[in-house]
Amino acid sequence: MRWPDPLFVRRSTSMIRILAGFGPSSSLLRGPQVQATILLPRRLSSISRRHAQVEKKDSVSGPSIIDAAVHEEILGSSNNNNAGPKSVTPESEEISWVPVLPHVLTAAMANFMFGYHIGVMNGPLESIARELKFEGDTIMQGFVVSIFIVGAFIGSISGGVLADKVGRRRTFQIDAIPLILGAALSASAQSVEMMVLGRFMVGIGIGVNTSLVPLYISEVAPTAYRGALGSFCQIGTCIGLISALVIGIPAETDPHWWRTMFWLATIPGVALMAGMQVAAESPRWLGKIGRWDDAETTIEKLWGKAQVDVAMKELRSVSGSQGVDDEVSWSEILSKPYFKVAATGSALFALQQFAGINGVLYFSSITFRDAGITNGMAASAAVGVANLTGALVALSLMDNQGRRKLLMGSYTGMALSMGVLVLALEMPGDQQLAHLLAVGGTLFYVFTFALGAGPATALIIPELCTTRLRAKTMAVSLCTHWVCNFGVGLLFLQLVQQFGLPAVYTSFGVVSLLSVAFAYSFIIETKGRSLEEIQMLLNPEMLK
């Protein structure tokens, strides 16, 4: 297989070039969302039936669940008849996922905007460049696309501070402002400077959201369904991408359609701001600042009355050891016991990026073209369907198999995909077979990425954090993500030109295998455990 011209790659893959992080993502537009909602009851009901067995057996790999003595300390119970692990959730009461689902879907709308704003630049970039008079300037075209990442880096930092100061709900609403204004500014841009400013503002909003959405969902979701509901982060991104592709179809014939696409991007921003006005605040954040009555009311609303006593005892125990509204400074994250979690989160996102998601997506349109699929829309749609299919499968497995196992399986599949792609690139003779292997390897890579490396990475980091440092740790981890994202995008073509695509893909496979080893050695299983249980497991000194 021949290597493509870099300029062609830059122009033909502007959307998939920067897709990473929460993952690549079968129906179109509203179809996947409806499909996910229809499939969810069956999958969550199955999760519910297995949940009691998970908590009884706790047969997952990694450190075991908190023992009975720790539970005695947390709950103040005098009953110590059972010597083994036991659950703090009453097994006789089955928690419903229905009350919390609207709040999760509202938050996931922010990830929908993430996917949409990635996809919105895919088709009409050349029309934008022509109308704003920077056509042919590949540096400026790259800058218009990459300024989004710079804004996201800044947003990641500011989002952690806001989420701790004003709460999760209000941060969503404040964050909607740059998303709305940035989209409107881009839609009405009369110069490249206005377009750059608009994309920068949108990037700030996306940077806040990419850390805030998994944080919020992890704090409001019941333990039994936290993994499945957390998968909506990735599903939202996938649906946003596919929506942008569908809405962008008229841009192939209408050179001004891109303005309509940006105006449409303001609608979900307004919907997010309005939806968060009635959404529940995180009970963990309410307890953190001492609003216990509000936290109790929220828990009853989201999880049911039967869960209130146990959940409040856990929250008070953890918050009591930390102090009400005892803030963590940025420098404190570098000290024990906080540094380990921040370093783990940063390492997970770095491995995710260096495992090659950007590179595979960067060359996917070329791979499909060489295989005879010359329609760029069809290539992007195939990647999007593989992405979304993986995300939906992850939804059903996250609370069944667990985050750790999905991470390891996902990276194993990605390493195998890299092997197939390298084989296709180096295969002599039968070029048709090589092209088919390349297409299959690409789609399988995206599918396996969406199974674990995409959604589980974003979900497991807030689960490992204590409430008082959760927002800032997510901010630090996402900053690492955006830096690595930018670095891979900047250096990828140079590395391909210097060492060849097979060598670069081989390095991605090696990183994927290292990621398997990292997950096996350093990640504990969090399924079936409340956030407070995990805090006590990782920080037993909190009980002293």
Short mmCIF file of all heavy atoms in Angstrom, two decimals, residues 1 24 355-357 359-368 371 373 379 382-383 386-387 410-425 427 432-450 501 505 508-509 512:
data_model
loop_
_atom_site.label_atom_id
_atom_site.label_comp_id
_atom_site.label_asym_id
_atom_site.label_seq_id
_atom_site.Cartn_x
_atom_site.Cartn_y
_atom_site.Cartn_z
N MET A 1 0.84 -1.20 0.00
CA MET A 1 0.00 0.00 0.00
C MET A 1 0.87 1.25 0.00
O MET A 1 1.86 1.32 0.71
CB MET A 1 -0.91 0.03 1.24
CG MET A 1 -1.92 -1.10 1.30
SD MET A 1 -2.91 -1.03 2.79
CE MET A 1 -3.77 0.51 2.51
N PRO A 24 -13.74 7.31 19.80
CA PRO A 24 -14.51 7.19 18.65
C PRO A 24 -15.84 6.62 19.10
O PRO A 24 -15.98 6.05 20.13
CB PRO A 24 -13.74 6.25 17.79
CG PRO A 24 -12.42 6.17 18.30
CD PRO A 24 -12.51 6.54 19.70
N ALA A 355 -1.53 5.42 22.11
CA ALA A 355 -1.90 4.14 21.51
C ALA A 355 -2.39 4.31 20.08
O ALA A 355 -2.69 3.32 19.41
CB ALA A 355 -2.96 3.44 22.34
N GLY A 356 -2.52 5.56 19.61
CA GLY A 356 -2.67 5.80 18.18
C GLY A 356 -4.04 6.11 17.65
O GLY A 356 -4.23 6.06 16.44
N ILE A 357 -4.98 6.47 18.51
CA ILE A 357 -6.33 6.72 18.01
C ILE A 357 -6.34 7.83 16.96
O ILE A 357 -6.99 7.72 15.92
CB ILE A 357 -7.30 7.03 19.18
CG1 ILE A 357 -8.72 7.24 18.66
CG2 ILE A 357 -6.84 8.24 19.99
CD1 ILE A 357 -9.30 6.05 17.97
N GLY A 359 -3.87 8.73 14.99
CA GLY A 359 -3.21 8.29 13.78
C GLY A 359 -4.08 7.41 12.91
O GLY A 359 -4.15 7.57 11.69
N VAL A 360 -4.77 6.45 13.54
CA VAL A 360 -5.64 5.55 12.79
C VAL A 360 -6.77 6.34 12.13
O VAL A 360 -7.09 6.13 10.95
CB VAL A 360 -6.21 4.46 13.70
CG1 VAL A 360 -7.25 3.62 12.97
CG2 VAL A 360 -5.09 3.56 14.21
N LEU A 361 -7.36 7.25 12.87
CA LEU A 361 -8.45 8.06 12.31
C LEU A 361 -7.93 9.01 11.23
O LEU A 361 -8.61 9.28 10.24
CB LEU A 361 -9.15 8.83 13.42
CG LEU A 361 -9.90 7.97 14.44
CD1 LEU A 361 -10.40 8.81 15.60
CD2 LEU A 361 -11.04 7.23 13.79
N TYR A 362 -6.72 9.49 11.44
CA TYR A 362 -6.11 10.41 10.48
C TYR A 362 -6.03 9.76 9.09
O TYR A 362 -6.31 10.39 8.06
CB TYR A 362 -4.72 10.76 10.98
CG TYR A 362 -4.12 12.02 10.41
CD1 TYR A 362 -3.96 13.15 11.21
CD2 TYR A 362 -3.69 12.09 9.08
CE1 TYR A 362 -3.41 14.31 10.71
CE2 TYR A 362 -3.14 13.24 8.57
CZ TYR A 362 -3.00 14.36 9.40
OH TYR A 362 -2.45 15.51 8.88
N PHE A 363 -5.65 8.49 9.06
CA PHE A 363 -5.44 7.81 7.79
C PHE A 363 -6.63 6.96 7.35
O PHE A 363 -6.56 6.28 6.33
CB PHE A 363 -4.19 6.91 7.87
CG PHE A 363 -2.93 7.63 7.52
CD1 PHE A 363 -2.19 8.28 8.50
CD2 PHE A 363 -2.48 7.68 6.21
CE1 PHE A 363 -1.04 8.95 8.18
CE2 PHE A 363 -1.31 8.36 5.89
CZ PHE A 363 -0.59 9.01 6.87
N SER A 364 -7.73 6.99 8.11
CA SER A 364 -8.83 6.10 7.79
C SER A 364 -9.45 6.41 6.43
O SER A 364 -9.81 5.50 5.67
CB SER A 364 -9.91 6.16 8.88
OG SER A 364 -10.47 7.45 8.97
N SER A 365 -9.59 7.70 6.10
CA SER A 365 -10.21 8.04 4.80
C SER A 365 -9.33 7.57 3.64
O SER A 365 -9.84 7.13 2.60
CB SER A 365 -10.44 9.55 4.70
OG SER A 365 -9.22 10.25 4.74
N ILE A 366 -8.00 7.62 3.82
CA ILE A 366 -7.08 7.13 2.79
C ILE A 366 -7.19 5.62 2.66
O ILE A 366 -7.19 5.06 1.56
CB ILE A 366 -5.63 7.53 3.12
CG1 ILE A 366 -5.54 9.03 3.45
CG2 ILE A 366 -4.72 7.18 1.97
CD1 ILE A 366 -6.04 9.92 2.35
N THR A 367 -7.29 4.94 3.82
CA THR A 367 -7.43 3.49 3.82
C THR A 367 -8.68 3.06 3.06
O THR A 367 -8.65 2.14 2.24
CB THR A 367 -7.49 2.97 5.27
OG1 THR A 367 -6.29 3.33 5.96
CG2 THR A 367 -7.64 1.46 5.30
N PHE A 368 -9.78 3.76 3.31
CA PHE A 368 -11.03 3.42 2.64
C PHE A 368 -10.95 3.76 1.14
O PHE A 368 -11.47 3.02 0.30
CB PHE A 368 -12.20 4.17 3.29
CG PHE A 368 -12.68 3.52 4.55
CD1 PHE A 368 -12.04 3.74 5.76
CD2 PHE A 368 -13.79 2.69 4.54
CE1 PHE A 368 -12.48 3.16 6.93
CE2 PHE A 368 -14.25 2.09 5.71
CZ PHE A 368 -13.59 2.33 6.91
N ALA A 371 -9.20 1.18 -0.76
CA ALA A 371 -9.98 -0.05 -0.85
C ALA A 371 -11.15 0.10 -1.82
O ALA A 371 -11.95 -0.83 -1.96
CB ALA A 371 -10.50 -0.44 0.52
N ILE A 373 -13.47 2.69 -1.64
CA ILE A 373 -14.55 3.49 -1.08
C ILE A 373 -14.12 4.95 -1.19
O ILE A 373 -13.46 5.50 -0.30
CB ILE A 373 -14.83 3.10 0.39
CG1 ILE A 373 -15.13 1.60 0.48
CG2 ILE A 373 -16.00 3.90 0.95
CD1 ILE A 373 -15.26 1.08 1.89
N ALA A 379 -16.99 6.70 4.25
CA ALA A 379 -15.88 6.29 5.11
C ALA A 379 -16.09 6.78 6.54
O ALA A 379 -15.93 6.03 7.51
CB ALA A 379 -14.56 6.82 4.56
N ALA A 382 -18.88 4.82 8.21
CA ALA A 382 -18.46 3.49 8.64
C ALA A 382 -17.70 3.55 9.96
O ALA A 382 -17.93 2.74 10.87
CB ALA A 382 -17.59 2.84 7.55
N VAL A 383 -16.80 4.53 10.07
CA VAL A 383 -16.06 4.71 11.33
C VAL A 383 -17.02 5.08 12.45
O VAL A 383 -16.91 4.58 13.58
CB VAL A 383 -14.97 5.79 11.15
CG1 VAL A 383 -14.34 6.13 12.49
CG2 VAL A 383 -13.91 5.31 10.17
N ALA A 386 -18.98 1.98 13.64
CA ALA A 386 -18.11 1.12 14.46
C ALA A 386 -17.92 1.70 15.84
O ALA A 386 -17.94 0.99 16.85
CB ALA A 386 -16.76 0.93 13.76
N ASN A 387 -17.76 3.02 15.88
CA ASN A 387 -17.58 3.76 17.12
C ASN A 387 -18.80 3.62 18.01
O ASN A 387 -18.71 3.26 19.20
CB ASN A 387 -17.33 5.23 16.75
CG ASN A 387 -16.89 6.07 17.92
OD1 ASN A 387 -16.79 5.59 19.03
ND2 ASN A 387 -16.65 7.34 17.65
N SER A 410 -9.87 -3.99 25.73
CA SER A 410 -9.88 -2.97 24.69
C SER A 410 -8.49 -2.75 24.10
O SER A 410 -8.30 -2.77 22.87
CB SER A 410 -10.42 -1.66 25.26
OG SER A 410 -10.33 -0.61 24.33
N TYR A 411 -7.51 -2.58 24.96
CA TYR A 411 -6.15 -2.34 24.48
C TYR A 411 -5.56 -3.58 23.80
O TYR A 411 -4.76 -3.46 22.87
CB TYR A 411 -5.26 -1.88 25.62
CG TYR A 411 -5.39 -0.41 25.92
CD1 TYR A 411 -5.92 0.03 27.13
CD2 TYR A 411 -5.00 0.55 25.00
CE1 TYR A 411 -6.05 1.39 27.40
CE2 TYR A 411 -5.13 1.91 25.26
CZ TYR A 411 -5.66 2.31 26.47
OH TYR A 411 -5.79 3.66 26.73
N THR A 412 -5.98 -4.76 24.25
CA THR A 412 -5.53 -5.98 23.57
C THR A 412 -6.06 -6.01 22.14
O THR A 412 -5.34 -6.32 21.18
CB THR A 412 -6.00 -7.23 24.33
OG1 THR A 412 -5.46 -7.21 25.66
CG2 THR A 412 -5.55 -8.50 23.62
N GLY A 413 -7.35 -5.67 21.98
CA GLY A 413 -7.93 -5.60 20.64
C GLY A 413 -7.28 -4.55 19.78
O GLY A 413 -7.07 -4.75 18.57
N MET A 414 -6.93 -3.42 20.37
CA MET A 414 -6.25 -2.37 19.62
C MET A 414 -4.87 -2.82 19.16
O MET A 414 -4.45 -2.51 18.04
CB MET A 414 -6.17 -1.10 20.47
CG MET A 414 -7.52 -0.43 20.71
SD MET A 414 -7.53 0.70 22.13
CE MET A 414 -6.35 1.96 21.58
N ALA A 415 -4.16 -3.55 20.02
CA ALA A 415 -2.84 -4.06 19.63
C ALA A 415 -2.96 -5.06 18.48
O ALA A 415 -2.16 -5.03 17.52
CB ALA A 415 -2.16 -4.72 20.84
N LEU A 416 -3.97 -5.92 18.55
CA LEU A 416 -4.19 -6.87 17.45
C LEU A 416 -4.54 -6.14 16.16
O LEU A 416 -4.08 -6.52 15.07
CB LEU A 416 -5.32 -7.85 17.83
CG LEU A 416 -5.00 -8.84 18.95
CD1 LEU A 416 -6.26 -9.64 19.31
CD2 LEU A 416 -3.86 -9.78 18.55
N SER A 417 -5.34 -5.09 16.28
CA SER A 417 -5.70 -4.30 15.10
C SER A 417 -4.47 -3.67 14.46
O SER A 417 -4.34 -3.62 13.23
CB SER A 417 -6.71 -3.22 15.48
OG SER A 417 -7.88 -3.79 16.02
N MET A 418 -3.57 -3.18 15.30
CA MET A 418 -2.33 -2.60 14.78
C MET A 418 -1.52 -3.65 14.03
O MET A 418 -0.92 -3.37 12.98
CB MET A 418 -1.49 -2.02 15.93
CG MET A 418 -1.98 -0.71 16.49
SD MET A 418 -1.78 0.64 15.32
CE MET A 418 -3.48 0.94 14.90
N GLY A 419 -1.52 -4.87 14.56
CA GLY A 419 -0.81 -5.94 13.86
C GLY A 419 -1.40 -6.22 12.49
O GLY A 419 -0.67 -6.42 11.51
N VAL A 420 -2.74 -6.20 12.40
CA VAL A 420 -3.41 -6.41 11.12
C VAL A 420 -3.08 -5.28 10.15
O VAL A 420 -2.81 -5.51 8.96
CB VAL A 420 -4.93 -6.53 11.32
CG1 VAL A 420 -5.66 -6.54 9.98
CG2 VAL A 420 -5.26 -7.79 12.12
N LEU A 421 -3.07 -4.04 10.64
CA LEU A 421 -2.77 -2.90 9.78
C LEU A 421 -1.33 -2.94 9.27
O LEU A 421 -1.07 -2.64 8.10
CB LEU A 421 -3.03 -1.59 10.54
CG LEU A 421 -4.51 -1.23 10.74
CD1 LEU A 421 -4.67 -0.09 11.74
CD2 LEU A 421 -5.15 -0.85 9.42
N VAL A 422 -0.41 -3.31 10.14
CA VAL A 422 1.00 -3.42 9.71
C VAL A 422 1.13 -4.53 8.67
O VAL A 422 1.84 -4.37 7.66
CB VAL A 422 1.91 -3.68 10.92
CG1 VAL A 422 3.33 -4.02 10.45
CG2 VAL A 422 1.94 -2.46 11.84
N LEU A 423 0.45 -5.65 8.90
CA LEU A 423 0.48 -6.75 7.93
C LEU A 423 -0.06 -6.29 6.58
O LEU A 423 0.50 -6.61 5.52
CB LEU A 423 -0.35 -7.92 8.46
CG LEU A 423 -0.50 -9.13 7.52
CD1 LEU A 423 0.86 -9.78 7.26
CD2 LEU A 423 -1.47 -10.15 8.12
N ALA A 424 -1.15 -5.52 6.59
CA ALA A 424 -1.73 -5.03 5.34
C ALA A 424 -0.78 -4.09 4.62
O ALA A 424 -0.67 -4.13 3.39
CB ALA A 424 -3.05 -4.31 5.65
N LEU A 425 -0.07 -3.25 5.38
CA LEU A 425 0.86 -2.30 4.76
C LEU A 425 2.07 -2.99 4.16
O LEU A 425 2.62 -2.55 3.15
CB LEU A 425 1.30 -1.27 5.79
CG LEU A 425 0.25 -0.25 6.24
CD1 LEU A 425 0.72 0.51 7.47
CD2 LEU A 425 -0.07 0.73 5.11
N MET A 427 2.19 -6.27 3.21
CA MET A 427 1.85 -7.46 2.43
C MET A 427 2.23 -7.29 0.96
O MET A 427 1.78 -6.35 0.30
CB MET A 427 0.36 -7.76 2.56
CG MET A 427 -0.10 -8.97 1.75
SD MET A 427 -1.86 -9.30 1.98
CE MET A 427 -1.86 -9.86 3.67
N GLN A 432 -5.59 -6.25 -3.21
CA GLN A 432 -6.99 -6.23 -2.83
C GLN A 432 -7.19 -6.80 -1.43
O GLN A 432 -7.93 -6.23 -0.60
CB GLN A 432 -7.83 -7.03 -3.82
CG GLN A 432 -9.34 -6.96 -3.53
CD GLN A 432 -10.16 -7.68 -4.58
OE1 GLN A 432 -9.61 -8.25 -5.53
NE2 GLN A 432 -11.46 -7.66 -4.43
N LEU A 433 -6.51 -7.89 -1.13
CA LEU A 433 -6.58 -8.48 0.20
C LEU A 433 -5.98 -7.51 1.24
O LEU A 433 -6.51 -7.37 2.35
CB LEU A 433 -5.83 -9.81 0.23
CG LEU A 433 -5.74 -10.50 1.60
CD1 LEU A 433 -7.13 -10.80 2.14
CD2 LEU A 433 -4.90 -11.78 1.50
N ALA A 434 -4.89 -6.85 0.85
CA ALA A 434 -4.26 -5.89 1.77
C ALA A 434 -5.22 -4.76 2.11
O ALA A 434 -5.32 -4.33 3.27
CB ALA A 434 -2.98 -5.34 1.14
N HIS A 435 -5.93 -4.26 1.10
CA HIS A 435 -6.88 -3.17 1.34
C HIS A 435 -8.02 -3.62 2.25
O HIS A 435 -8.44 -2.88 3.15
CB HIS A 435 -7.44 -2.66 0.02
CG HIS A 435 -6.42 -2.00 -0.85
ND1 HIS A 435 -5.37 -1.27 -0.34
CD2 HIS A 435 -6.29 -1.95 -2.21
CE1 HIS A 435 -4.63 -0.80 -1.34
NE2 HIS A 435 -5.17 -1.21 -2.48
N LEU A 436 -8.52 -4.84 2.03
CA LEU A 436 -9.59 -5.35 2.88
C LEU A 436 -9.13 -5.52 4.32
O LEU A 436 -9.87 -5.21 5.27
CB LEU A 436 -10.10 -6.68 2.32
CG LEU A 436 -10.87 -6.61 1.00
CD1 LEU A 436 -11.23 -8.01 0.51
CD2 LEU A 436 -12.14 -5.78 1.18
N LEU A 437 -7.90 -6.02 4.49
CA LEU A 437 -7.35 -6.15 5.84
C LEU A 437 -7.19 -4.79 6.51
O LEU A 437 -7.45 -4.64 7.71
CB LEU A 437 -5.99 -6.86 5.79
CG LEU A 437 -6.01 -8.37 5.56
CD1 LEU A 437 -4.57 -8.89 5.40
CD2 LEU A 437 -6.71 -9.08 6.71
N ALA A 438 -6.77 -3.78 5.72
CA ALA A 438 -6.60 -2.44 6.28
C ALA A 438 -7.93 -1.86 6.74
O ALA A 438 -8.03 -1.26 7.82
CB ALA A 438 -5.95 -1.53 5.24
N VAL A 439 -8.98 -2.03 5.94
CA VAL A 439 -10.31 -1.54 6.32
C VAL A 439 -10.82 -2.28 7.55
O VAL A 439 -11.31 -1.67 8.51
CB VAL A 439 -11.30 -1.71 5.15
CG1 VAL A 439 -12.74 -1.43 5.61
CG2 VAL A 439 -10.94 -0.77 4.00
N GLY A 440 -10.67 -3.61 7.54
CA GLY A 440 -11.11 -4.40 8.70
C GLY A 440 -10.35 -4.04 9.96
O GLY A 440 -10.93 -3.93 11.04
N GLY A 441 -9.03 -3.87 9.82
CA GLY A 441 -8.22 -3.50 10.98
C GLY A 441 -8.60 -2.15 11.53
O GLY A 441 -8.64 -1.95 12.75
N THR A 442 -8.89 -1.19 10.65
CA THR A 442 -9.28 0.15 11.08
C THR A 442 -10.60 0.11 11.85
O THR A 442 -10.72 0.69 12.94
CB THR A 442 -9.42 1.08 9.87
OG1 THR A 442 -8.15 1.20 9.22
CG2 THR A 442 -9.92 2.46 10.29
N LEU A 443 -11.60 -0.57 11.29
CA LEU A 443 -12.91 -0.63 11.94
C LEU A 443 -12.84 -1.39 13.26
O LEU A 443 -13.49 -1.00 14.24
CB LEU A 443 -13.93 -1.27 11.01
CG LEU A 443 -14.28 -0.48 9.74
CD1 LEU A 443 -15.28 -1.24 8.89
CD2 LEU A 443 -14.81 0.91 10.10
N PHE A 444 -12.06 -2.48 13.29
CA PHE A 444 -11.93 -3.23 14.54
C PHE A 444 -11.20 -2.42 15.60
O PHE A 444 -11.52 -2.49 16.79
CB PHE A 444 -11.19 -4.55 14.28
CG PHE A 444 -11.19 -5.49 15.46
CD1 PHE A 444 -12.37 -6.06 15.90
CD2 PHE A 444 -10.01 -5.79 16.12
CE1 PHE A 444 -12.38 -6.91 16.99
CE2 PHE A 444 -10.01 -6.63 17.21
CZ PHE A 444 -11.19 -7.20 17.65
N TYR A 445 -10.22 -1.64 15.17
CA TYR A 445 -9.50 -0.77 16.10
C TYR A 445 -10.47 0.23 16.74
O TYR A 445 -10.49 0.41 17.97
CB TYR A 445 -8.38 -0.03 15.37
CG TYR A 445 -7.58 0.90 16.25
CD1 TYR A 445 -6.41 0.47 16.87
CD2 TYR A 445 -8.00 2.21 16.48
CE1 TYR A 445 -5.68 1.33 17.68
CE2 TYR A 445 -7.29 3.05 17.29
CZ TYR A 445 -6.12 2.62 17.89
OH TYR A 445 -5.41 3.47 18.72
N VAL A 446 -11.27 0.90 15.91
CA VAL A 446 -12.22 1.89 16.43
C VAL A 446 -13.23 1.23 17.35
O VAL A 446 -13.58 1.76 18.42
CB VAL A 446 -12.93 2.61 15.26
CG1 VAL A 446 -14.05 3.51 15.78
CG2 VAL A 446 -11.93 3.42 14.45
N PHE A 447 -13.72 0.05 16.96
CA PHE A 447 -14.69 -0.68 17.78
C PHE A 447 -14.11 -1.03 19.14
O PHE A 447 -14.74 -0.81 20.19
CB PHE A 447 -15.13 -1.95 17.04
CG PHE A 447 -16.00 -2.86 17.85
CD1 PHE A 447 -17.35 -2.60 18.00
CD2 PHE A 447 -15.47 -3.99 18.47
CE1 PHE A 447 -18.17 -3.43 18.76
CE2 PHE A 447 -16.27 -4.83 19.23
CZ PHE A 447 -17.62 -4.55 19.37
N THR A 448 -12.90 -1.60 19.16
CA THR A 448 -12.31 -2.01 20.43
C THR A 448 -11.91 -0.80 21.28
O THR A 448 -11.98 -0.86 22.51
CB THR A 448 -11.09 -2.91 20.20
OG1 THR A 448 -10.16 -2.26 19.30
CG2 THR A 448 -11.50 -4.24 19.61
N PHE A 449 -11.52 0.30 20.64
CA PHE A 449 -11.26 1.53 21.39
C PHE A 449 -12.52 1.97 22.12
O PHE A 449 -12.48 2.34 23.30
CB PHE A 449 -10.79 2.63 20.44
CG PHE A 449 -10.50 3.95 21.13
CD1 PHE A 449 -9.23 4.25 21.58
CD2 PHE A 449 -11.50 4.88 21.32
CE1 PHE A 449 -8.96 5.47 22.22
CE2 PHE A 449 -11.25 6.09 21.95
CZ PHE A 449 -9.97 6.37 22.39
N ALA A 450 -13.65 1.93 21.44
CA ALA A 450 -14.91 2.37 22.03
C ALA A 450 -15.41 1.43 23.11
O ALA A 450 -16.26 1.80 23.92
CB ALA A 450 -15.97 2.52 20.94
N LEU A 501 4.93 4.47 7.83
CA LEU A 501 3.69 4.19 8.55
C LEU A 501 3.72 2.84 9.28
O LEU A 501 3.22 2.76 10.42
CB LEU A 501 2.51 4.24 7.57
CG LEU A 501 1.11 4.22 8.18
CD1 LEU A 501 0.91 5.34 9.18
CD2 LEU A 501 0.05 4.31 7.07
N TYR A 505 2.80 2.56 13.25
CA TYR A 505 1.71 1.70 13.71
C TYR A 505 2.23 0.62 14.67
O TYR A 505 1.53 0.24 15.62
CB TYR A 505 1.01 1.05 12.52
CG TYR A 505 -0.06 1.91 11.88
CD1 TYR A 505 -0.30 3.22 12.32
CD2 TYR A 505 -0.83 1.44 10.84
CE1 TYR A 505 -1.28 4.00 11.75
CE2 TYR A 505 -1.82 2.21 10.25
CZ TYR A 505 -2.04 3.50 10.71
OH TYR A 505 -3.01 4.27 10.13
N PHE A 508 2.43 2.11 18.01
CA PHE A 508 1.10 2.21 18.61
C PHE A 508 0.69 0.86 19.23
O PHE A 508 0.09 0.82 20.30
CB PHE A 508 0.06 2.62 17.56
CG PHE A 508 0.20 4.05 17.09
CD1 PHE A 508 -0.34 4.43 15.87
CD2 PHE A 508 0.87 5.00 17.85
CE1 PHE A 508 -0.24 5.75 15.43
CE2 PHE A 508 0.99 6.30 17.41
CZ PHE A 508 0.44 6.69 16.19
N GLY A 509 1.01 -0.21 18.54
CA GLY A 509 0.70 -1.53 19.07
C GLY A 509 1.46 -1.82 20.35
O GLY A 509 0.90 -2.40 21.30
N SER A 512 -0.15 0.03 23.14
CA SER A 512 -1.39 -0.65 23.52
C SER A 512 -1.10 -1.81 24.47
O SER A 512 -1.81 -2.01 25.47
CB SER A 512 -2.13 -1.15 22.28
OG SER A 512 -2.54 -0.08 21.45
#
